[in-house]
Structures are given as C-alpha cells and as structure tokens.
Amino acid sequence: MDGNSKVPDYGILPTFVALKMYPMGEAAESLNFIEHIVEEDLKNGYSNADLRFRFPPEPNGYLHIGHASSICLNFGLGERYRAPVNLRFDDTNPAKEEQEYVDAIKRDVEWLGFKWNTERYASDYFQQLYDWAVLLIKEGKAYVDSQSSEEMAVQKGTPTEPGIDSPYRNRSIAENLEMFQGMKEGKYEEGTHVLRAKIDMASSNMLMRDPIMYRVLHKEHHRTNTDWCIYPMYDWTHGESDYIEQVSHSLCTLEFLPHRELYDWFLDQVVNADKLRPKQREFARRNLSHTVVSKRKLLQLVEQGVVKGWDDPRMPTISGMRRRGYTPESIRNFADTIGIAKRENLIDVSLLEFHVREHLNKIARRVMGVLNPVKVVITNYPEGDEEWLESENNPEDETAGTRKIPFSREIYIERQDFREEANRKFFRLKLGGEVRLKSAYIIKAESCTKDTDGNIIEIQCTYDPKSKSGSGTEESLRKVKGTLHWVSIKDAIAAEVRLYDRLFTDESPDTHKDKDFVDFVNPDSLQVITGYLEPSVKDAQIGDRVQFQRLGYFCVDSDSNNEKLVFNRTVGLRDTWAKLQNK
C-alpha cells in the first residue's frame, strides 16, 4: 500500500474489521513504532520516572478528528507507562487565539475520557524565552533583522541555491540588545524588525537559514493582555517549552520532520547536562475521506455560513461529532484501529462510522419513529380502544429492560414501506400481503385511498387479533417475511429531525488544484423534516442517543427545549453512501 492509498471501506463489512486489523486478539500486545522508541529508551537508560508526554494544541480553533489521534496517542502513552501528560496551549499568536478555543479544547479532551497532569501555556514561559533569546544575542547567535518579509524571502535562497546573508547579520551585540529591548517595549511598528537565529544561510535545510525567533505584534493576548509587544515563533517556543516541562518525547506529525534539526539546535543552546533532553519524533497524519481538517478551512466554512458554527454536526470537529451523537468510545476505537504509522494514508470515513455504529448498537435505547408517514387504518380494530405493548429497550443489553408502546386503530408507517403492487422480493406491505408490526400484530393490506394527484393518503388494513407478539399463541408464532416499525397516531410526538449526511461529495475535497474545496460541498448534507415518535421519547434529554428502529441512530440536539424535541441523525444502520456512489 503506497503513501496515498485508501484504506478499504470496512463500513460495508463491519464484522471483518476487528479480525483484519487485530488478528487473534493481538492488538493489546502489539506495539506501534512510537512505543518501540519509548521501549528502546527505557532499555538504554531512561527510567519510567523520566517519561512525560504532552498534547500541545494552538487555541486558534476547535479540535477536529485529526487531533483526536494525537490526543489518543499522547494520553494513551501516558496510560500505558503511567506517565504524566501535560495539556500545553501553544498560545504565541494573539491575532488568532481566543479563550473560547481554550475552553473548547479542554472540554473536548475531557469528553474523550482523558485527564491531563498539568495545564500549561507557552505564554507561561514568555519571560524565560525572552531571557534565553537575550543570551543568544550576547553569544553572537541571534540578531535583529530590519528587512521586509519580501526581502528576507528573496535572500533566503532556494532548496538548490544557498541563501545570502542579511545586511544586518553582523550588527553589533550592543545594537542587537538595544533594538531587541526596544521591540519588547513596543517602540517599533509591526513588520519593522524581527529577531533571527544566526545559524547557516547555506544549509540544505531551509529552516536552518537564520530562522525568525520573534516578531513584533501589537495585539492583546488572551492571558498576558498587553504585557508583551513581541511574540516567539513556534520553532523557538516548542522545544524550549518541552525542555522547561521536562517532556521526554515530543510527538509531532510528519510535516515537522524537517523542523527536528532546528528543534535540536535550539535545545543545544539552553540544555544543562543534569536535566533530561527532550526528543522530537514524528508520525504520519491519517487523512479522512470526504473531510477537511485544516483549521483555516474549517473557520472559512463557519464564517461563510456553509455550516452553523464549529459544533455543526456536519463538521469533523470533536464538538461537532459530539453534538451529532458520536461517542468518545467510538472515536477512541477508531483511533486505535487506524493506529500510528510513518506514512500518510487516506482513511475512508465509513471506518469511523462503523465504530460509531458498533458502539451505539450496544448502548442505544431502541424506539420507533416514522419519518415519512402514511396513515394506516386497521379497520377491524375496535374504535376508541388502545393497548400498551411491551418491547425491549435494547436486545444487545439484557439489563436495559423493556418499555410500553401504545397501539391503536390508526397508525403511521413509512411511506416507502407500502406498494400497491410489488414483486416477490418486496417483503414489506403490499395489497393482499401481510407484515408484522414490530412488537404488535400481523396486518394485511386490503385497500388504499389516493388524493386527486394520485398520491396514497391512507391504507386500509385488517389485523389478526391472535397474532400479538409474545402472547405465545400459535398465531403469534406464525412467520411473515416483513416486519415494520410504526407509531400510534393518537400518541405520536412530533419532533424536528435533522438528517445529516457527509459535508463533501469528493473524498479529497482540498487536494484539487483547479477547484476550491468549497466547490465540493454537498448540497444535500442537511435535510430537516418532521418525524413522529413513540411517546417514550418525551422525557429525552439533550445528548441522549437512541436507535430509531430500521432507520438509524439519532441524538437529541442542544436546540431541543420543552416545546420542541430536535433529533440529529448520527449514522444510519448500514453504510448506504457507498451504494449511492456506485450506482
């Protein structure tokens, strides 16, 4: 399988997934390559007390499914080795960072089931980073550059041609110290000066060609307010923060591999022999089909009104998936299944949906709801009568108990569950044919009524009063090929049902050179309808997850209130997308 290959669609063959990914239950014992690195370090002098990990998000947006893999990796290592894991916010760009994002990130990590040892911020270290930068200036290893960004880009050279020294590279130490102090005190406008490390303008690694360490920004910071007028760059902050916190293994995605040389160079300038030196190691991103996970692009979707916020259930954000009804267990199981690798792959989103479906099947209460109703009148059922039938809450869970469902003369069934005429392969209701109503009786379609446009508005049926499910009579054991869900019209609760589908029609919407990713937005990603549900849902709370039998898994949305229930479709009972795409 090459680096851009696509993982097969396990959503179509769910029982195959666990066996293929983890044969003979070996998953718990196998190690990924990051764990092998840790094990080697433990053999070569590290102790368990030396181990410390961190998850370092930038608070410039909400966490998404890509971050979930990193969260599971770092906190999973912490659990495996009983080592502390820090949550460190890389808050060095006040122009894009907000407290809202900090709060959302903490909420998402906790919801996934992880607890951090210490909450840290890069801004905690602004003074120490500044002091170290002054030290580099004094040692002749950093200088203030007054070129424009365009001039610096030109003089930096190309991957095949060496760069040219800045005309300010050999400023005196005294002048550099004075100007850097002036930058800190806000004496200069944005863009006029930067502090650069003095490394090697001929290095084959472009990142080593005198990288920027500080820039002037007159922006209010969400924690330090206006205390600082200069802010450190990521490469300067990253390794030094790891060193301050004594992080043993700094795990990054593969695009940071070229940064490792710079990470180590910066550490060389500050490390003491008696303290642990962090090491950066990289793993590959796992890209998800029919999704974008760039925060910049997700923000664009929010700002352009393509979605209704970061927590829109169509978004690949953790908050969006939570609102849609995904469980933290299913996301962690998905992360465990795709694992950690050294090469990038495109993972089919149906594998994520499989894990969601698998977990919800175990925990979700069953209810009946009709989303595209047609009226059925059971003509031989006594008018005005009503009975309450018993039905299992979850056949996968023996402790889930049962509930009572009202049954009466007039019910709703799904419109697509009836045809006047149908071939032998149609096992739902047709004229002259019989079906069983779930947990109720066998009915037979006798006739139907249409409106002036020829649309069926009512089906007249008869029922077999001796065929009641669970009654133990011979008639109740009679087999018919079709079983339908239904609701009693008199007792049905009307609810708003939001039918969510994939946000993009293309599996890789942000990889096309000739089109923008928004060109692939699925116009049918949301359909809002009125559904009719059994009365047991009337007390459902926000976040409750249920299975609408024969239809899919649904979750009570945060827009619900005492006057109106709102349900989001989380995922269907089976993967229908692949079938639609292959037509």
mmCIF file with all atom_site columns, all heavy atoms in Angstrom, residues 314-328:
data_model
loop_
_atom_site.group_PDB
_atom_site.id
_atom_site.type_symbol
_atom_site.label_atom_id
_atom_site.label_alt_id
_atom_site.label_comp_id
_atom_site.label_asym_id
_atom_site.label_entity_id
_atom_site.label_seq_id
_atom_site.pdbx_PDB_ins_code
_atom_site.Cartn_x
_atom_site.Cartn_y
_atom_site.Cartn_z
_atom_site.occupancy
_atom_site.B_iso_or_equiv
_atom_site.pdbx_formal_charge
_atom_site.auth_seq_id
_atom_site.auth_comp_id
_atom_site.auth_asym_id
_atom_site.auth_atom_id
_atom_site.pdbx_PDB_model_num
ATOM 1   N N   . ARG A 1 314 ? -22.206 18.483 11.050 1.00 0.00 ? 314 ARG A N   1
ATOM 2   C CA  . ARG A 1 314 ? -21.530 18.055 9.818  1.00 0.00 ? 314 ARG A CA  1
ATOM 3   C C   . ARG A 1 314 ? -20.026 18.283 9.878  1.00 0.00 ? 314 ARG A C   1
ATOM 4   O O   . ARG A 1 314 ? -19.284 17.791 9.026  1.00 0.00 ? 314 ARG A O   1
ATOM 5   C CB  . ARG A 1 314 ? -22.110 18.812 8.616  1.00 0.00 ? 314 ARG A CB  1
ATOM 6   C CG  . ARG A 1 314 ? -23.539 18.448 8.283  1.00 0.00 ? 314 ARG A CG  1
ATOM 7   C CD  . ARG A 1 314 ? -24.145 19.458 7.333  1.00 0.00 ? 314 ARG A CD  1
ATOM 8   N NE  . ARG A 1 314 ? -24.365 20.746 7.973  1.00 0.00 ? 314 ARG A NE  1
ATOM 9   C CZ  . ARG A 1 314 ? -24.923 21.800 7.385  1.00 0.00 ? 314 ARG A CZ  1
ATOM 10  N NH1 . ARG A 1 314 ? -25.303 21.709 6.120  1.00 0.00 ? 314 ARG A NH1 1
ATOM 11  N NH2 . ARG A 1 314 ? -25.096 22.928 8.045  1.00 0.00 ? 314 ARG A NH2 1
ATOM 12  N N   . MET A 1 315 ? -19.588 19.041 10.864 1.00 0.00 ? 315 MET A N   1
ATOM 13  C CA  . MET A 1 315 ? -18.171 19.386 10.976 1.00 0.00 ? 315 MET A CA  1
ATOM 14  C C   . MET A 1 315 ? -17.373 18.200 11.535 1.00 0.00 ? 315 MET A C   1
ATOM 15  O O   . MET A 1 315 ? -17.878 17.433 12.368 1.00 0.00 ? 315 MET A O   1
ATOM 16  C CB  . MET A 1 315 ? -17.995 20.606 11.868 1.00 0.00 ? 315 MET A CB  1
ATOM 17  C CG  . MET A 1 315 ? -18.490 21.900 11.250 1.00 0.00 ? 315 MET A CG  1
ATOM 18  S SD  . MET A 1 315 ? -17.293 22.622 10.116 1.00 0.00 ? 315 MET A SD  1
ATOM 19  C CE  . MET A 1 315 ? -16.334 23.622 11.264 1.00 0.00 ? 315 MET A CE  1
ATOM 20  N N   . PRO A 1 316 ? -16.096 18.071 11.122 1.00 0.00 ? 316 PRO A N   1
ATOM 21  C CA  . PRO A 1 316 ? -15.252 16.998 11.664 1.00 0.00 ? 316 PRO A CA  1
ATOM 22  C C   . PRO A 1 316 ? -14.620 17.372 13.003 1.00 0.00 ? 316 PRO A C   1
ATOM 23  O O   . PRO A 1 316 ? -13.676 16.721 13.439 1.00 0.00 ? 316 PRO A O   1
ATOM 24  C CB  . PRO A 1 316 ? -14.183 16.831 10.578 1.00 0.00 ? 316 PRO A CB  1
ATOM 25  C CG  . PRO A 1 316 ? -14.014 18.213 10.025 1.00 0.00 ? 316 PRO A CG  1
ATOM 26  C CD  . PRO A 1 316 ? -15.395 18.821 10.043 1.00 0.00 ? 316 PRO A CD  1
ATOM 27  N N   . THR A 1 317 ? -15.128 18.451 13.619 1.00 0.00 ? 317 THR A N   1
ATOM 28  C CA  . THR A 1 317 ? -14.632 18.834 14.935 1.00 0.00 ? 317 THR A CA  1
ATOM 29  C C   . THR A 1 317 ? -15.148 17.850 15.989 1.00 0.00 ? 317 THR A C   1
ATOM 30  O O   . THR A 1 317 ? -16.208 17.242 15.819 1.00 0.00 ? 317 THR A O   1
ATOM 31  C CB  . THR A 1 317 ? -15.094 20.249 15.305 1.00 0.00 ? 317 THR A CB  1
ATOM 32  O OG1 . THR A 1 317 ? -16.530 20.309 15.202 1.00 0.00 ? 317 THR A OG1 1
ATOM 33  C CG2 . THR A 1 317 ? -14.482 21.279 14.377 1.00 0.00 ? 317 THR A CG2 1
ATOM 34  N N   . ILE A 1 318 ? -14.406 17.717 17.068 1.00 0.00 ? 318 ILE A N   1
ATOM 35  C CA  . ILE A 1 318 ? -14.849 16.828 18.140 1.00 0.00 ? 318 ILE A CA  1
ATOM 36  C C   . ILE A 1 318 ? -16.173 17.326 18.724 1.00 0.00 ? 318 ILE A C   1
ATOM 37  O O   . ILE A 1 318 ? -17.067 16.534 19.020 1.00 0.00 ? 318 ILE A O   1
ATOM 38  C CB  . ILE A 1 318 ? -13.761 16.719 19.220 1.00 0.00 ? 318 ILE A CB  1
ATOM 39  C CG1 . ILE A 1 318 ? -12.524 16.023 18.639 1.00 0.00 ? 318 ILE A CG1 1
ATOM 40  C CG2 . ILE A 1 318 ? -14.274 15.950 20.438 1.00 0.00 ? 318 ILE A CG2 1
ATOM 41  C CD1 . ILE A 1 318 ? -11.338 15.979 19.571 1.00 0.00 ? 318 ILE A CD1 1
ATOM 42  N N   . SER A 1 319 ? -16.316 18.644 18.832 1.00 0.00 ? 319 SER A N   1
ATOM 43  C CA  . SER A 1 319 ? -17.576 19.181 19.361 1.00 0.00 ? 319 SER A CA  1
ATOM 44  C C   . SER A 1 319 ? -18.726 18.930 18.393 1.00 0.00 ? 319 SER A C   1
ATOM 45  O O   . SER A 1 319 ? -19.858 18.687 18.818 1.00 0.00 ? 319 SER A O   1
ATOM 46  C CB  . SER A 1 319 ? -17.439 20.672 19.656 1.00 0.00 ? 319 SER A CB  1
ATOM 47  O OG  . SER A 1 319 ? -17.080 21.385 18.493 1.00 0.00 ? 319 SER A OG  1
ATOM 48  N N   . GLY A 1 320 ? -18.452 18.986 17.088 1.00 0.00 ? 320 GLY A N   1
ATOM 49  C CA  . GLY A 1 320 ? -19.486 18.685 16.101 1.00 0.00 ? 320 GLY A CA  1
ATOM 50  C C   . GLY A 1 320 ? -19.893 17.226 16.149 1.00 0.00 ? 320 GLY A C   1
ATOM 51  O O   . GLY A 1 320 ? -21.086 16.889 16.047 1.00 0.00 ? 320 GLY A O   1
ATOM 52  N N   . MET A 1 321 ? -18.912 16.344 16.286 1.00 0.00 ? 321 MET A N   1
ATOM 53  C CA  . MET A 1 321 ? -19.217 14.918 16.360 1.00 0.00 ? 321 MET A CA  1
ATOM 54  C C   . MET A 1 321 ? -19.958 14.578 17.650 1.00 0.00 ? 321 MET A C   1
ATOM 55  O O   . MET A 1 321 ? -20.850 13.717 17.659 1.00 0.00 ? 321 MET A O   1
ATOM 56  C CB  . MET A 1 321 ? -17.929 14.109 16.233 1.00 0.00 ? 321 MET A CB  1
ATOM 57  C CG  . MET A 1 321 ? -17.305 14.204 14.840 1.00 0.00 ? 321 MET A CG  1
ATOM 58  S SD  . MET A 1 321 ? -15.862 13.134 14.596 1.00 0.00 ? 321 MET A SD  1
ATOM 59  C CE  . MET A 1 321 ? -14.662 13.979 15.618 1.00 0.00 ? 321 MET A CE  1
ATOM 60  N N   . ARG A 1 322 ? -19.599 15.253 18.734 1.00 0.00 ? 322 ARG A N   1
ATOM 61  C CA  . ARG A 1 322 ? -20.314 15.038 19.995 1.00 0.00 ? 322 ARG A CA  1
ATOM 62  C C   . ARG A 1 322 ? -21.775 15.450 19.838 1.00 0.00 ? 322 ARG A C   1
ATOM 63  O O   . ARG A 1 322 ? -22.685 14.726 20.260 1.00 0.00 ? 322 ARG A O   1
ATOM 64  C CB  . ARG A 1 322 ? -19.651 15.841 21.114 1.00 0.00 ? 322 ARG A CB  1
ATOM 65  C CG  . ARG A 1 322 ? -20.376 15.762 22.439 1.00 0.00 ? 322 ARG A CG  1
ATOM 66  C CD  . ARG A 1 322 ? -19.566 16.364 23.585 1.00 0.00 ? 322 ARG A CD  1
ATOM 67  N NE  . ARG A 1 322 ? -19.264 17.772 23.400 1.00 0.00 ? 322 ARG A NE  1
ATOM 68  C CZ  . ARG A 1 322 ? -18.030 18.248 23.229 1.00 0.00 ? 322 ARG A CZ  1
ATOM 69  N NH1 . ARG A 1 322 ? -16.997 17.443 23.183 1.00 0.00 ? 322 ARG A NH1 1
ATOM 70  N NH2 . ARG A 1 322 ? -17.833 19.551 23.088 1.00 0.00 ? 322 ARG A NH2 1
ATOM 71  N N   . ARG A 1 323 ? -22.008 16.612 19.231 1.00 0.00 ? 323 ARG A N   1
ATOM 72  C CA  . ARG A 1 323 ? -23.379 17.090 19.044 1.00 0.00 ? 323 ARG A CA  1
ATOM 73  C C   . ARG A 1 323 ? -24.158 16.178 18.103 1.00 0.00 ? 323 ARG A C   1
ATOM 74  O O   . ARG A 1 323 ? -25.363 15.983 18.262 1.00 0.00 ? 323 ARG A O   1
ATOM 75  C CB  . ARG A 1 323 ? -23.354 18.516 18.491 1.00 0.00 ? 323 ARG A CB  1
ATOM 76  C CG  . ARG A 1 323 ? -24.729 19.134 18.345 1.00 0.00 ? 323 ARG A CG  1
ATOM 77  C CD  . ARG A 1 323 ? -24.635 20.590 17.933 1.00 0.00 ? 323 ARG A CD  1
ATOM 78  N NE  . ARG A 1 323 ? -25.955 21.153 17.716 1.00 0.00 ? 323 ARG A NE  1
ATOM 79  C CZ  . ARG A 1 323 ? -26.185 22.388 17.297 1.00 0.00 ? 323 ARG A CZ  1
ATOM 80  N NH1 . ARG A 1 323 ? -25.155 23.211 17.078 1.00 0.00 ? 323 ARG A NH1 1
ATOM 81  N NH2 . ARG A 1 323 ? -27.420 22.822 17.123 1.00 0.00 ? 323 ARG A NH2 1
ATOM 82  N N   . ARG A 1 324 ? -23.471 15.594 17.144 1.00 0.00 ? 324 ARG A N   1
ATOM 83  C CA  . ARG A 1 324 ? -24.143 14.690 16.203 1.00 0.00 ? 324 ARG A CA  1
ATOM 84  C C   . ARG A 1 324 ? -24.547 13.379 16.867 1.00 0.00 ? 324 ARG A C   1
ATOM 85  O O   . ARG A 1 324 ? -25.462 12.699 16.404 1.00 0.00 ? 324 ARG A O   1
ATOM 86  C CB  . ARG A 1 324 ? -23.234 14.423 15.009 1.00 0.00 ? 324 ARG A CB  1
ATOM 87  C CG  . ARG A 1 324 ? -23.888 13.595 13.911 1.00 0.00 ? 324 ARG A CG  1
ATOM 88  C CD  . ARG A 1 324 ? -23.172 13.774 12.612 1.00 0.00 ? 324 ARG A CD  1
ATOM 89  N NE  . ARG A 1 324 ? -23.687 12.904 11.572 1.00 0.00 ? 324 ARG A NE  1
ATOM 90  C CZ  . ARG A 1 324 ? -23.395 13.022 10.280 1.00 0.00 ? 324 ARG A CZ  1
ATOM 91  N NH1 . ARG A 1 324 ? -22.587 13.995 9.885  1.00 0.00 ? 324 ARG A NH1 1
ATOM 92  N NH2 . ARG A 1 324 ? -23.891 12.193 9.403  1.00 0.00 ? 324 ARG A NH2 1
ATOM 93  N N   . GLY A 1 325 ? -23.854 13.021 17.951 1.00 0.00 ? 325 GLY A N   1
ATOM 94  C CA  . GLY A 1 325 ? -24.218 11.806 18.675 1.00 0.00 ? 325 GLY A CA  1
ATOM 95  C C   . GLY A 1 325 ? -23.115 10.767 18.728 1.00 0.00 ? 325 GLY A C   1
ATOM 96  O O   . GLY A 1 325 ? -23.313 9.672  19.264 1.00 0.00 ? 325 GLY A O   1
ATOM 97  N N   . TYR A 1 326 ? -21.932 11.088 18.174 1.00 0.00 ? 326 TYR A N   1
ATOM 98  C CA  . TYR A 1 326 ? -20.807 10.164 18.279 1.00 0.00 ? 326 TYR A CA  1
ATOM 99  C C   . TYR A 1 326 ? -20.459 9.991  19.755 1.00 0.00 ? 326 TYR A C   1
ATOM 100 O O   . TYR A 1 326 ? -20.670 10.884 20.574 1.00 0.00 ? 326 TYR A O   1
ATOM 101 C CB  . TYR A 1 326 ? -19.582 10.709 17.546 1.00 0.00 ? 326 TYR A CB  1
ATOM 102 C CG  . TYR A 1 326 ? -19.646 10.622 16.036 1.00 0.00 ? 326 TYR A CG  1
ATOM 103 C CD1 . TYR A 1 326 ? -20.851 10.509 15.362 1.00 0.00 ? 326 TYR A CD1 1
ATOM 104 C CD2 . TYR A 1 326 ? -18.478 10.671 15.280 1.00 0.00 ? 326 TYR A CD2 1
ATOM 105 C CE1 . TYR A 1 326 ? -20.898 10.445 13.984 1.00 0.00 ? 326 TYR A CE1 1
ATOM 106 C CE2 . TYR A 1 326 ? -18.513 10.603 13.894 1.00 0.00 ? 326 TYR A CE2 1
ATOM 107 C CZ  . TYR A 1 326 ? -19.724 10.496 13.241 1.00 0.00 ? 326 TYR A CZ  1
ATOM 108 O OH  . TYR A 1 326 ? -19.764 10.428 11.879 1.00 0.00 ? 326 TYR A OH  1
ATOM 109 N N   . THR A 1 327 ? -19.905 8.845  20.096 1.00 0.00 ? 327 THR A N   1
ATOM 110 C CA  . THR A 1 327 ? -19.473 8.592  21.464 1.00 0.00 ? 327 THR A CA  1
ATOM 111 C C   . THR A 1 327 ? -17.955 8.701  21.550 1.00 0.00 ? 327 THR A C   1
ATOM 112 O O   . THR A 1 327 ? -17.246 8.425  20.571 1.00 0.00 ? 327 THR A O   1
ATOM 113 C CB  . THR A 1 327 ? -19.889 7.186  21.928 1.00 0.00 ? 327 THR A CB  1
ATOM 114 O OG1 . THR A 1 327 ? -19.217 6.212  21.115 1.00 0.00 ? 327 THR A OG1 1
ATOM 115 C CG2 . THR A 1 327 ? -21.397 6.996  21.810 1.00 0.00 ? 327 THR A CG2 1
ATOM 116 N N   . PRO A 1 328 ? -17.430 9.090  22.717 1.00 0.00 ? 328 PRO A N   1
ATOM 117 C CA  . PRO A 1 328 ? -15.967 9.135  22.859 1.00 0.00 ? 328 PRO A CA  1
ATOM 118 C C   . PRO A 1 328 ? -15.344 7.766  22.659 1.00 0.00 ? 328 PRO A C   1
ATOM 119 O O   . PRO A 1 328 ? -14.243 7.646  22.113 1.00 0.00 ? 328 PRO A O   1
ATOM 120 C CB  . PRO A 1 328 ? -15.762 9.660  24.279 1.00 0.00 ? 328 PRO A CB  1
ATOM 121 C CG  . PRO A 1 328 ? -17.070 9.500  24.978 1.00 0.00 ? 328 PRO A CG  1
ATOM 122 C CD  . PRO A 1 328 ? -18.123 9.567  23.923 1.00 0.00 ? 328 PRO A CD  1
#
